[in-house]
Amino acid sequence: MDTFDGYRRPDGRIGVRNIVAVVPLSVAVSAVATQIAGEGPERAHATPHQLSADAPDATLEQTRRVLEGVATNPNVAGAVLVELGTERVDGEGIADAVAAAGRPVERLSVRECGGTAAAVETGVELVDDLAAETADARRESADVSELVLAVECGGSDATSGLAANPSVGNACDRLVDAGGTATFSETPEFIGAEHILAERCADSEVREKLLAYVDRREAAAELMGADLRGAQPSPGNQEGGLTTIEEKSLGAISKGGTTPIRDIVPYGSELPVGGGLVLMDTPGYDIESVTGKVAGGAQIAIFTTGRGSTTGNPIAPVIKVCGNPQTWDRMASNMDVNASTVVAGDDLEAVGERIYETVLETANGRPTAAEVRGLREFAINELQPNELGYFDGDGIGDGEEVSRS
């Protein structure tokens, strides 16, 4: 039985980090939250984002869901919610959810504090108090079945699909076999391989949900004059040797392994503990996609790359897996696992086991390269109103049903 040592939270979930999260409710106070975290203790991390204080209801609901999920992620010991004082996002509701999860929470209004300088000073004091209150948390042994592992790819090339992604897929299979949860997303990157994913669904209901998500995103793009199939692979992917959307999608889905797909959930929605392989409907933007899965409760993320990426996250440690030997040579300081050895003939199973062991080491507290370098990117997928319904920030349908007719 595989185990790790984590922080048991009052709601029963287990974290792999003990972070004080500084969460702005809108872009208007994202810089304030960043300053508060920067002047607070080392384990205070801000989640600055780009969403406005006043937005359509669908956008507000998705923002609330993500901010609540982030502030209650098992890695978060306590949270300071920062607001200007004009936000329509339900700050009180988010604070109540954090408190209900058994975490200490404070709200801070820049207007009530009397401006930025006073808010930063007050915010640092609040963070210091929360850090002191939660500093005595001690790690305890937990079964690996309590891990929720998010998987992402970015800066992909031919070696992503040949080496990095299938090696990570092998690690996901190991986690699922041990009773844990693995999740991958980026629905536009299912296109061209959605029939393969559909055959892997645990039942007809999941299959229909999966195909509906894919169809809605493609239909919405067509209504807006975009051709998802014709626009992929991206220019960067093509430079890396990918030639068709099918080739890209086949490589992308291999990072989820080979086990049955148990469910697919909306962006930022809760991911089940012990749920097997569960997909999430997200856009193709790497940072927004990782944020959605962390909001869903993922304690650790794996990010595969061929051409190179430096992406991290403020709440969950991000393990970088590199599939390209040349990129590994150039960017080893940003990487955690060298999967490019598969290209040279190394056994994929052996690399998958090495990745799985790295997941356990990370869960036990070993910092990732992104953590060491303070890389903490964060962005929330934005829903935008349109005469055809609601569309997310990359122009792909989300939220309301979109018809081809």
Side-chain angles (χ1 to χ4, degrees):
M1 181 177 67
D2 293 328
T3 62
F4 67 98
D5 291 338
Y7 300 96
R8 180 70 61 186
R9 304 302 179 194
D11 62 1
R13 295 188 296 170
I14 193 91
V16 303
R17 297 294 185 266
N18 200 39
I19 294 166
V20 175
V22 185
V23 181
L25 298 191
S26 72
V27 66
V29 288
S30 282
V32 176
T34 300
Q35 289 183 51
I36 290 171
E39 295 184 20
E42 185 177 347
R43 64 187 183 91
H45 296 175
T47 59
H49 60 87
Q50 79 287 12
L51 299 190
S52 67
D54 187 5
D57 290 344
T59 299
L60 289 172
E61 172 54 27
Q62 178 154 293
T63 301
R64 181 209 58 77
R65 182 170 70 245
V66 171
L67 294 180
E68 181 178 307
V70 165
T72 57
N73 182 284
N75 293 344
V76 174
V80 175
L81 308 181
V82 183
E83 52 196 289
L84 178 61
T86 61
E87 286 87 355
R88 290 184 59 224
V89 174
D90 184 10
E92 182 176 358
I94 296 172
D96 288 345
V98 177
R103 326 287 172 82
V105 59
E106 299 285 352
R107 293 179 67 188
L108 171 66
S109 168
V110 173
R111 283 188 169 184
E112 290 181 6
C113 283
T116 299
V120 171
E121 182 179 354
T122 302
V124 171
E125 292 174 357
L126 293 175
V127 167
D128 285 341
D129 290 344
L130 290 183
E133 183 178 348
T134 58
D136 60 353
R138 294 291 178 267
R139 289 182 179 267
E140 64 177 62
S141 181
D143 190 85
V144 73
S145 63
E146 297 191 72
L147 280 181
V148 178
L149 178 66
V151 183
E152 186 74 18
C153 60
S156 299
D157 65 9
T159 69
S160 296
L162 291 171
N165 288 354
S167 297
V168 168
N170 181 270
C172 287
D173 284 348
R174 293 171 188 270
L175 177 64
V176 170
D177 288 344
T181 301
T183 179
F184 70 96
S185 58
E186 295 184 291
T187 309
E189 295 190 7
F190 300 169
I191 295 173
E194 68 270 31
H195 59 293
I196 296 174
L197 289 177
E199 291 301 315
R200 290 176 52 191
C201 290
D203 55 45
S204 59
E205 182 180 355
V206 176
R207 181 179 184 274
E208 291 172 6
K209 283 171 62 177
L210 168 68
L211 293 177
Y213 274 121
V214 173
D215 186 66
R216 190 186 65 203
R217 284 186 175 269
E218 189 167 16
E222 289 177 4
L223 286 170
M224 297 180 71
D227 177 12
L228 284 181
R229 295 178 187 265
Q232 294 289 346
S234 68
N237 296 149
Q238 293 177 40
E239 288 177 14
L242 297 176
T243 60
T244 66
I245 187 172
E246 290 82 6
E247 188 177 51
K248 178 176 180 178
S249 293
L250 287 169
I253 68 172
S254 69
K255 64 182 180 289
T258 61
T259 60
I261 298 169
R262 300 296 180 187
D263 201 359
I264 179 168
V265 301
Y267 181 84
S269 296
E270 184 175 355
L271 294 158
V273 175
L277 180 61
V278 178
L279 309 188
M280 180 177 284
D281 177 43
T282 75
Y285 291 159
D286 303 338
I287 296 171
E288 290 182 357
S289 183
V290 171
T291 293
K293 288 173 286 199
V294 171
Q299 304 107 314
I300 299 175
I302 294 180
F303 193 116
T304 67
T305 188
R307 303 182 72 235
S309 172
T310 60
T311 298
N313 184 269
I315 303 301
V318 177
I319 299 168
K320 281 295 175 44
V321 176
C322 181
N324 188 311
Q326 295 178 345
T327 302
W328 175 265
D329 289 342
R330 288 195 306 268
M331 297 185 65
S333 63
N334 283 106
M335 304 297 161
D336 298 285
V337 181
N338 182 9
S340 73
T341 56
V342 172
V343 177
D346 199 359
D347 182 64
L348 189 146
E349 291 271 339
V351 178
E353 183 176 5
R354 184 147 42 92
I355 294 169
Y356 180 68
E357 291 299 323
T358 301
V359 170
L360 295 182
E361 291 170 1
T362 302
N364 280 318
R366 177 182 174 180
T368 65
E371 288 181 290
V372 170
R373 282 154 187 80
L375 302 173
R376 300 168 184 160
E377 291 81 2
F378 188 91
I380 301 174
N381 178 229
E382 182 174 5
L383 296 181
Q384 299 172 341
N386 183 285
E387 64 271 15
L388 300 173
Y390 278 91
F391 298 86
D392 58 20
D394 61 3
I396 310 304
D398 202 323
E400 295 188 358
E401 183 176 354
V402 177
S403 172
R404 291 181 186 272
S405 59

